[in-house]
Amino acid sequence: MSNTSVAATVDERLARIRQIVVDELELDLTPEELDGQASFVDEYEADSLALIQIVSRMDRELGVKLPPAEIERLVNLDAIRAAVEAQG
């Protein structure tokens, strides 16, 4: 697999994560408008159930398995991106 293919796969995965976040938080934004540093709780009014649903969909749809202890650290899109990239 070339580096271009790997980059495309990572970009596609991150695009899908953006879509999952927008869907689960029921935001009136496009996935591209989602601010990576905006707090899910403070700026998007997410609750713990919404965060669990995001993690669950990432598992089902992308095969991303994050430990339950990791959920409390997923405060924004950048934190999700870092956790996913750390998994490889």
Side-chain angles (χ1 to χ4, degrees):
M1 186 181 289
S2 71
N3 286 340
T4 304
S5 296
V6 171
T9 302
V10 170
D11 288 344
E12 290 167 5
R13 191 180 219 190
L14 293 176
R16 186 67 193 127
I17 290 169
R18 282 179 168 276
Q19 185 64 56
I20 289 169
V21 170
V22 168
D23 291 348
E24 291 301 326
L25 299 184
E26 299 177 352
L27 301 175
D28 290 328
L29 301 171
T30 66
E32 296 78 23
E33 293 173 319
L34 192 63
D35 181 348
Q37 296 180 346
S39 167
F40 291 148
V41 174
D42 296 334
E43 296 189 42
Y44 298 132
E45 300 178 5
D47 59 17
S48 58
L49 179 58
L51 298 177
I52 291 168
Q53 289 173 319
I54 290 168
V55 172
S56 176
R57 280 189 60 189
M58 287 172 30
D59 181 8
R60 278 193 322 270
E61 297 176 24
L62 301 170
V64 173
K65 297 193 184 306
L66 298 175
E70 190 76 21
I71 293 173
E72 68 186 42
R73 289 183 238 168
L74 304 179
V75 296
N76 58 30
L77 185 64
D78 288 347
I80 287 178
R81 179 182 302 121
V84 169
E85 288 174 352
Q87 278 200 335

